[in-house]
Amino acid sequence: MSAELCHREADLLDALARGYIGAELDEHVASCSSCNELRLVAGALLDERAEAIVEAPIPSSGAMWYRMRVRARHEAQTQARRSLLLGQAATVAIAILLVFSFFGADVAFAVRDLVATIRLSTPLLLALATWILLAPLAGWVAIRQK
């Protein structure tokens, strides 16, 4: 393989892809070793590509219909999940706003006072924190398994 690159290699690749090499480019390829080698290699690869396209199996119409139905069902489920997630987030936000609008700051002060009066040991607090962190994760894993 020659180390020199010819400035006409891009033209040759375009011509090979189109399937027609003009007389001028053909003369250049005959005189240029780099382009001649490129024509042999790229021509062989393009011929293999053309044969693979011709020989590729075409799936039956029933198989294609089934794949389209499965894909459409999957996309519909994805859209429905997204809509449900948005609805749930909006519901939680509205519920929080309603609680604070009905009870105002009294609830926040009552919760703070309640938490301040509870005396818990460190292991119990760690167990409670672990449960609070892992419960949503366990629920998510349970939902995801089919």
Side-chain angles (χ1 to χ4, degrees):
M1 184 172 173
S2 64
E4 297 178 19
L5 295 178
C6 181
H7 66 281
R8 303 281 312 261
E9 287 182 357
D11 297 336
L12 178 60
L13 284 175
D14 288 340
L16 286 172
R18 284 190 311 254
Y20 175 74
I21 299 175
E24 177 193 351
L25 191 56
D26 197 29
E27 290 175 15
H28 172 75
V29 170
S31 65
C32 178
S33 62
S34 177
C35 288
N36 192 14
E37 185 175 340
L38 179 64
R39 181 179 189 178
L40 290 173
V41 174
L45 290 174
L46 288 171
D47 289 344
E48 286 290 323
R49 179 179 174 262
E51 288 178 22
I53 289 172
V54 169
E55 295 174 359
I58 299 173
S60 68
S61 61
M64 290 304 296
W65 177 81
Y66 175 75
R67 289 178 190 169
M68 288 173 41
R69 296 281 297 174
V70 168
R71 183 176 180 178
R73 186 178 313 126
H74 177 70
E75 289 173 357
Q77 287 173 349
T78 302
Q79 182 65 30
R81 283 189 191 116
R82 193 175 305 129
S83 298
L84 285 174
L85 179 63
L86 290 173
Q88 288 172 346
T91 303
V92 168
I94 291 171
I96 290 171
L97 287 173
L98 285 175
V99 166
F100 279 113
S101 69
F102 287 141
F103 299 110
D106 295 339
V107 172
F109 290 129
V111 169
R112 186 190 66 190
D113 292 341
L114 179 66
V115 170
T117 60
I118 297 175
R119 302 285 180 210
L120 297 174
S121 65
T122 302
L124 187 58
L125 281 175
L126 287 174
L128 181 64
T130 303
W131 181 78
I132 288 172
L133 291 174
L134 292 181
L137 182 63
W140 179 78
V141 169
I143 289 172
R144 288 291 181 185
Q145 291 181 351
K146 293 182 180 183

